[in-house]
């Protein structure tokens, strides 16, 4: 083991980070922010370090997302700067970076220490590898409006032109019309007779000796024979998603096309699907010879599609700025992209794309036309990790802009510039061709021979870099998270003060050319900052991130494990945090626990399929560690799920007991063992008083009288407001007597005031119970399905039609958007983020973590709103 005491201390120190930790909630706060470019680039508190061992140079890339973050820091809050990697004389494996931290905020930070956490230590591609210098772009001039491209059997290039609805081919470095009369329409027949309507892509199928075109405006797939004759092989002309034979199937604006190794065509469509078109009949010119099926659904603006030699599909999701790997309908994973647009190269969980469109498999990797980044990206596997993990893939810019700058220039990848690359096609030999929309041209290049073994592919020798310092000796697969602690004097690090430097030592095997890691500065923070939307793109107040997505299937498809592999069910309905920040979820008929510290979700009680323990969990609350109360809507009961010792992530260490309700629906009587009717929206702040609403339009309270918490005889349940005259009650909106209409959720303010999301009446109602008749107030909000209150008394509501809102606090009425609704959900900063609400009256799940982040549920899955904290130092 490398011993720090034996290492030389003469290496000069360099200022390495600027840290702000004011304005956040009272918890440690890894700092995260969006990357930017240019002279005003922001510097951030979580970043990826790429270290080139030979030169000692270090490239630092800001990150914008992390499953464990509690606040997002932007502006000049934190700047990572670093010394070069320094050799230790006499020990070729010992390398060092010197780091100190400076506080540039106006108040002290960190209390008694600051901490830098290091993770994702990986051997990776060399930072000096020059694939951009080995790529040379050539040009074939053409008209405006070019889109999809393909290689033909005669050495020519072929392209579709949306401007005049025709197919072009190359002749002596020029593109000339080949098929199509010109003008939009729908006509099969000879090359000079046929008509298309906004064709998008073209693919040459060698086995069929024919071209296939996505005729987007006609909602059809067209076939072009070797003599140029055009026939329709799939689609009736009506937009739809019906699977059938080609003359009966429907497609919705087909986009890009490719083929599987078995010969079936695969097509992306505007409704978020991947469709298959398979030739079964003897006559390939007849649509009845083809069968259309559905391979995958639920994609975000799918565009380019390609298949690897094993038949695994890859799709560019343009508006989500990501690449998805698809095995089949129920097995897919995002392998590149964080959800927001950007420039970053690096592993797939770090890299950012900007509206990827064209996509093609090329000799072991993917080439991507990054349309609004005006560049081409190369995506390849690194390491020996699972191909479904984003960090197992690496992205690098191989040609075009380094800063989202359009242009028009030929030359090497460093010299070439182009504007809006779109359609793209690659061959197994490394030849690549793409259309440049604004340059009116087809551009081409060849990937250098052996690129997969020239610093881009996996580390052949399996060597590992290890970190060695006072906190331990760590490798990438130890399952431990190393950190470097900076001790501080009492009162924290004063404004303008700098810590003593700390030395980060790495044990680097001789065969390793480069390595990387992610570093995050953490500090205890004080104060509050509310998550609010901002119309300013320069200073957003929120960062929205999907932590665990909803699986496309219902019921038994809930998957436990790391968040990047796990899923939640479509019936996810309620959230609650324990005092340590672990999140508990009501997921169908199961109770699940997500630990942000380990980024792992596990099922601790129940079962995805109803009827095992619970019949439909619709409320959950965790007032203390190891104590979880669960409202079983259809079981007409409240259960206590209690930790018995050992790991909280192990279901064997939890017990479940019914404590309230008899299992038979009934009106609460105030006595022990009272019946209840369809409880939901369960909340408690003390573990002795359980507030909930029920299916009878009532607000109820179950009170613990003492003794064994798990004994039903020690609980008494009463109706506190609402109609108690019958089982179903009477819906309405009265204040005396109080009546509700489909109440959905409950929240309790620090003052003890109880708030009810009265869905049917479109109000949030607040009640004070002081032994007299309850007093109430109301705040109008359209169809609230969830309600939560932070430590400062701010009220948050999730709505059926208006997204996520803040309604002020007890003495202030507001209506502030946090995450607005949209047809499709999007992660990102400020007003770039959106959500898709769910058409149901069950609690939609909204909760505030102890650190102050707002978590919610929508059709996308489990999502988090992190507070963005911006420095005012500059």
């Amino acid at each position: 083991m490398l011993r720090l005491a034996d290492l030389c201390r003469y290496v000069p120190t360099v200022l390495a980070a600027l840290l702000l930790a004011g304005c956040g909630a009272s918890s440690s706060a890894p700092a995260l922010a969006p990357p930017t470019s240019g002279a005003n680039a922001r510097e951030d508190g979580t970043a990826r370090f790429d270290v080139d061992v030979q030169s000692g140079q270090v490239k630092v890339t800001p990150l914008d997302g992390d499953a464990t973050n509690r606040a997002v820091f932007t502006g000049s809050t934190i700047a990572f700067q670093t010394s070069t990697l320094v050799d230790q004389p006499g020990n070729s494996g010992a390398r060092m970076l010197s780091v100190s931290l400076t506080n540039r905020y106006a108040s002290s930070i960190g209390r008694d220490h600051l901490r830098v956490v290091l993770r994702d230590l990986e051997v990776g591609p060399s930072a000096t590898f020059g694939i951009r210098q080995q790529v040379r772009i050539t040009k074939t001039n053409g008209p405006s409006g070019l889109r999809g491209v393909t290689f033909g059997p005669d050495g020519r290039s072929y392209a579709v032109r949306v401007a005049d609805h025709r197919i072009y081919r190359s002749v002596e470095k020029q593109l000339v019309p080949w098929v199509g009369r010109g003008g939009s329409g729908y006509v099969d027949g000879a090359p000079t007779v046929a008509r298309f309507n906004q064709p998008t892509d073209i693919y040459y199928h060698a086995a069929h000796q024919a071209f296939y075109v996505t005729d987007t405006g006609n909602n059809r797939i067209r076939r072009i024979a070797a003599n140029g004759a055009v026939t329709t092989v799939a689609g009736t002309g009506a937009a739809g998603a019906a699977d059938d034979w080609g003359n009966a199937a429907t497609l919705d604006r087909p986009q890009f096309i490719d083929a599987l190794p078995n010969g079936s065509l695969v097509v992306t469509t505007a409704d978020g699907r991947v469709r298959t078109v398979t030739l079964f009949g003897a006559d390939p010119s007849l649509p009845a010879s083809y069968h259309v099926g559905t391979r995958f659904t639920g994609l975000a603006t799918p565009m380019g599609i390609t298949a690897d030699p094993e038949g695994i599909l890859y799709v560019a999701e343009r508006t989500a700025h990501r690449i998805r790997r698809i095995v089949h309908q129920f097995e897919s994973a995002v392998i590149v992209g964080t959800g927001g647009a950007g420039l970053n190269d690096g592993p797939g969980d770090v890299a950012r794309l900007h509206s990827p469109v064209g996509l093609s498999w090329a000799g072991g990797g993917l080439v991507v036309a990054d349309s609004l980044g005006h560049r081409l990206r190369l995506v390849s596997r690194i390491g020996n990790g699972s191909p479904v993990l984003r960090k197992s893939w690496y992205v690098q810019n191989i040609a075009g802009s380094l800063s989202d700058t359009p242009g028009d220039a030929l030359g090497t990848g460093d010299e070439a510039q182009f504007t809006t690359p779109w359609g793209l096609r690659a061959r197994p030999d490394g030849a690549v061709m793409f259309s440049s929309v604004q340059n009116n041209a087809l551009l081409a290049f060849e990937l250098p021979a052996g690129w997969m073994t020239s610093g881009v592919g996996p580390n052949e020798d399996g060597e590992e870099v290890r970190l060695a310092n006072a906190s331990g000796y760590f490798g990438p697969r130890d399952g431990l998270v190393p950190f470097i602690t900076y001790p501080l004097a009492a009162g924290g690090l004063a404004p303008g003060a700098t810590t003593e430097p700390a030395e980060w030592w790495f044990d680097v095997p001789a065969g390793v050319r480069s390595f990387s890691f992610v570093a995050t500065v953490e500090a205890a923070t004080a104060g509050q900052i509310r998550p609010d939307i901002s119309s300013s793109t320069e200073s957003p107040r929120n960062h929205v991130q999907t932590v665990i997505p909803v699986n496309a299937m219902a019921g038994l498809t809930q998957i436990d494990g790391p968040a990047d592999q796990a899923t939640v069910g479509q019936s996810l309905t309620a959230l609650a945090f324990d005092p340590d920040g672990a999140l508990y979820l009501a997921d169908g008929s199961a109770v699940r626990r997500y630990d942000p510290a380990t980024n792992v979700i596990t099922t601790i009680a129940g079962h995805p399929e109803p009827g095992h323990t619970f019949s439909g969990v619709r409320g959950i609350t965790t007032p203390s560690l190891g104590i979880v109360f669960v409202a079983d809507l259809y079981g007409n009961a409240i259960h206590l799920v209690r930790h018995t010792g050992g790991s909280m992530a192990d279901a064997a260490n939890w017990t479940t007991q019914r404590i309230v309700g008899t299992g038979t629906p009934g009106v609460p009587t105030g006595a022990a063992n009272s019946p209840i009717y369809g409880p939901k929206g369960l909340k408690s702040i003390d573990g002795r008083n359980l507030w909930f609403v029920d299916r009878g339009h009532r607000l109820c309270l179950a009170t613990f009288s003492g003794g064994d918490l798990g004994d039903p005889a020690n609980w008494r349940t009463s109706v506190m407001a609402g109609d108690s005259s019958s089982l179903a009650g009477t819906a309405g909106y009265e204040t005396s007597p109080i009546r509700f209409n489909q109440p959905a959720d409950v929240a309790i303010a620090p003052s003890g005031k109880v708030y009810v999301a009265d869905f049917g009446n479109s109000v949030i109602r607040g009640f004070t119970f002081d032994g007299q008749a309850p007093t109430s107030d109301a705040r109008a909000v359209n169809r609230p399905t969830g309600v939560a209150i932070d430590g400062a008394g701010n009220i948050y509501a999730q709505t059926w039609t208006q997204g996520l809102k803040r309604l002020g606090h007890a003495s202030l009425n507001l209506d502030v958007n946090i995450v607005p609704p949209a047809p499709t959900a999007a992660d990102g900063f400020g007003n770039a983020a959106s959500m898709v609400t769910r058409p149901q009256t069950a609690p939609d799940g909204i909760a505030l973590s102890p650190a102050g982040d707002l978590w919610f549920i929508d059709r996308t899955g489990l999502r988090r709103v992190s507070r963005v904290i911006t420095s005012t130092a500059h």
Side-chain angles (χ1 to χ4, degrees):
M1 180 181 294
L2 196 64
R3 292 174 56 85
L4 292 181
D6 298 332
L7 299 175
C8 178
R9 302 292 184 178
Y10 68 83
V11 182
T13 61
V14 178
L15 176 66
L18 311 172
L19 176 65
L20 160 72
C23 305
S26 55
S27 180
S28 62
L32 307 165
T36 57
S37 61
N40 297 319
R42 290 174 176 163
E43 300 164 316
D44 313 287
T46 293
R48 174 185 168 85
F49 286 65
D50 287 288
V51 183
D52 186 78
V53 175
Q54 183 177 5
S55 67
Q57 296 301 309
V58 182
K59 177 184 177 183
V60 181
T61 304
L63 305 187
D64 71 338
D66 183 87
T68 62
N69 76 303
R70 291 167 172 79
V72 176
F73 291 74
T74 64
S76 59
T77 304
I78 298 173
F80 279 108
Q81 298 170 302
T82 178
S83 66
T84 56
L85 187 71
V86 180
D87 282 336
Q88 172 60 35
N91 184 339
S92 61
R95 310 295 175 94
M96 189 197 77
L97 297 176
S98 181
V99 177
S100 58
L101 309 175
T102 298
N103 177 16
R104 289 195 174 181
Y105 193 55
S107 61
S108 296
I109 60 174
R111 299 180 184 172
D112 60 348
H113 74 277
L114 300 177
R115 175 173 291 172
V116 179
V117 177
L118 271 64
R119 56 184 171 83
D120 294 343
L121 185 61
E122 299 279 354
V123 172
S126 171
T128 60
F129 175 66
I131 193 171
R132 283 174 61 86
Q133 288 79 29
Q134 299 183 57
V135 165
R136 181 165 292 276
I137 305 294
T138 62
K139 184 177 184 179
T140 299
N141 292 316
S144 62
L146 297 177
R147 292 297 187 266
V149 300
T150 195
F151 294 98
D154 48 7
R156 290 174 172 171
S157 302
Y158 292 77
V160 297
R161 186 185 181 207
V162 71
D164 63 356
H165 315 279
R166 291 198 288 187
I167 312 302
Y168 282 65
R169 65 180 175 182
S170 62
V171 177
E172 297 180 351
K173 291 295 182 180
Q174 294 289 330
L175 287 176
V176 298
W178 177 49
V179 172
R181 181 177 177 180
S184 65
Y186 170 63
V187 179
D188 283 341
T192 56
V193 173
R195 284 193 174 186
F196 302 88
N197 185 2
Q198 298 179 337
T200 294
D201 197 18
I202 184 170
Y203 173 77
Y204 179 70
H205 199 304
H208 294 183
Q209 297 183 353
F211 296 84
Y212 291 90
V213 176
T214 54
D215 194 3
T216 304
N218 284 322
N219 299 305
R220 291 179 166 98
I221 307 298
R222 313 286 290 280
R223 180 182 184 270
I224 305 177
N227 62 2
V230 178
T231 57
T232 298
V233 301
T236 65
D243 293 339
D244 209 324
W245 294 101
N247 55 349
T250 56
L251 302 102
D252 189 348
R253 295 186 64 81
Q255 300 293 317
F256 281 73
I257 187 168
D258 200 80
L260 293 167
N262 67 5
S264 292
L265 298 166
V266 284
V267 181
T268 56
T269 57
D271 56 355
R273 298 171 186 267
V274 172
R275 309 294 296 279
T276 58
V277 181
T278 305
L279 175 62
F280 285 106
D283 188 344
S285 66
L286 298 178
S289 296
Y290 295 80
H291 189 270
V292 179
T294 299
R295 179 73 175 261
F296 197 82
T297 61
L299 295 166
T301 320
M303 299 295 280
I305 185 169
T306 190
D308 69 15
E310 297 180 359
I312 295 171
L313 291 177
Y314 301 84
V315 175
E317 295 182 87
R318 180 165 62 89
T319 56
H321 313 290
R322 65 194 182 196
I323 305 298
R324 182 178 293 274
R325 178 182 186 269
I326 299 171
V327 179
H328 51 69
Q329 176 64 50
F330 310 119
E331 185 179 340
S332 75
V334 174
I335 61 168
V336 171
T338 64
L343 298 168
N344 294 7
D345 284 350
D349 57 345
V350 172
R352 293 165 67 96
L353 307 173
H354 195 175
S355 297
V357 178
L359 181 70
S360 196
W361 185 264
L366 298 164
V367 183
V368 185
D370 210 11
S371 66
L372 296 186
H374 311 295
R375 57 194 186 266
L376 297 184
R377 315 294 288 278
L378 184 63
V379 181
S380 55
R381 287 282 304 279
I382 56 173
N384 299 312
S386 168
V388 304
L389 298 180
R390 288 184 295 168
K391 67 180 181 179
S392 298
W393 296 83
Y394 192 83
V395 180
Q396 61 179 329
N397 184 337
I398 59 172
S401 173
L402 293 173
S403 59
D404 281 343
T405 303
D408 188 1
L410 301 180
T412 66
D414 275 338
E415 299 165 340
Q417 288 190 317
F418 34 85
T419 304
T420 321
W422 200 263
L424 185 146
R425 193 75 62 186
R427 293 193 310 226
D429 62 2
V432 181
M433 174 175 55
F434 63 99
S435 61
S436 184
V437 173
Q438 303 301 324
N439 301 131
N440 303 336
L442 290 188
L443 302 179
F445 65 94
E446 292 187 1
L447 289 168
W451 67 268
M452 278 297 292
T453 58
S454 300
V456 182
N459 175 38
E460 298 288 341
D461 299 326
E463 296 171 312
E464 295 182 354
V465 174
R466 300 176 72 85
L467 173 74
N469 58 32
S471 67
Y473 186 65
F474 301 93
R477 284 179 278 278
D478 291 333
L480 303 172
V481 180
F483 57 87
I484 297 94
T485 299
Y486 291 77
L488 302 176
L493 188 65
T498 301
T499 67
E500 292 294 323
E503 298 170 350
W504 302 2
W505 288 94
F506 299 90
D507 188 3
V508 183
V512 171
R513 291 170 297 179
S514 67
F515 65 94
S516 63
F517 58 89
V518 174
T520 298
V521 182
E522 296 185 349
T525 64
Q528 286 283 346
I529 181 168
R530 297 181 300 269
D532 289 344
I533 200 169
S534 169
S535 59
S536 169
T537 58
E538 294 300 316
S539 181
R541 295 291 299 272
N542 305 331
H543 178 245
V544 179
Q545 184 179 14
T546 301
V547 179
I548 305 177
V550 166
N551 196 303
M553 291 182 65
L556 297 176
T557 60
Q558 300 156 341
I559 300 173
D560 286 347
D564 59 357
Q565 302 177 42
T567 62
V568 292
Q570 292 179 329
S571 55
L572 186 65
T573 56
L575 309 174
F577 280 94
D578 73 12
D580 273 359
L583 179 62
Y584 292 80
L585 302 88
D587 195 349
S589 294
V591 175
R592 306 176 75 192
R593 179 180 185 271
Y594 170 68
D595 186 354
T598 63
N599 201 27
V600 172
I601 186 171
T602 54
T603 300
I604 62 168
H607 190 278
E609 186 176 345
H612 287 72
T613 302
F614 310 115
S615 298
V617 180
R618 292 296 184 271
I620 193 166
T621 186
T622 59
S624 59
L625 292 177
I627 298 295
V628 182
F629 296 101
V630 177
D632 188 0
L633 180 73
Y634 302 113
N636 302 297
I638 295 173
H639 296 260
L640 168 65
V641 180
R642 183 159 40 182
H643 182 235
T644 59
S647 171
M648 287 191 173
D650 188 344
N653 297 329
W654 294 83
T655 61
T656 301
Q657 301 165 275
R658 186 176 66 191
I659 58 170
V660 175
T662 61
T664 300
V667 179
T669 63
N673 295 307
S674 169
I676 59 176
Y677 176 49
K680 52 186 175 177
L682 185 66
K683 294 294 186 301
S684 177
I685 59 175
D686 58 10
R688 303 179 66 89
N689 296 281
L690 304 178
W691 291 90
F692 62 94
V693 290
D694 73 1
R695 297 177 70 187
H697 314 287
R698 291 177 281 258
L699 172 64
C700 304
L701 174 64
T703 303
F704 177 61
S705 59
D708 179 8
L709 194 66
D711 187 347
N714 297 329
W715 290 89
R716 288 167 171 75
T717 308
S718 303
V719 175
M720 302 300 290
D723 184 5
S724 59
S725 61
S726 65
L727 178 65
T730 302
Y733 184 71
E734 289 94 24
T735 57
S736 182
I738 296 167
R739 284 187 177 173
F740 303 99
N741 185 359
Q742 303 177 66
D745 200 12
V746 176
I748 305 171
S751 64
K753 190 172 183 177
V754 179
Y755 289 84
V756 175
D758 195 350
F759 176 86
N761 289 317
S762 290
V763 291
I764 300 290
R765 304 175 70 177
F767 297 92
T768 301
F769 298 89
D770 56 6
Q772 307 297 321
T775 58
S776 66
D777 55 55
R779 296 159 194 257
V781 58
N782 197 316
R783 301 289 190 176
T785 58
V787 61
I789 300 176
D790 67 17
N794 293 291
I795 304 167
Y796 301 87
Q798 183 161 351
T799 72
W800 186 14
T801 58
Q802 296 177 318
L804 212 58
K805 290 180 169 289
R806 180 169 67 87
L807 306 178
H809 53 75
S811 60
L812 178 65
N813 277 307
L814 290 175
D815 189 347
V816 179
N817 289 321
I818 299 175
V819 185
T824 59
D827 289 351
F829 286 82
N831 55 10
S834 61
M835 63 181 290
V836 180
T837 56
R838 302 188 298 177
Q840 60 183 57
T841 58
D844 244 350
I846 178 174
L848 286 129
S849 74
D853 290 342
L854 186 63
W855 294 63
F856 67 99
I857 302 163
D858 69 358
R859 288 186 185 180
T860 305
L862 175 64
R863 308 180 74 194
R864 176 188 57 236
V865 183
S866 301
R867 300 150 297 127
V868 177
I869 301 172
T870 303
S871 170
T872 57
H874 298 290

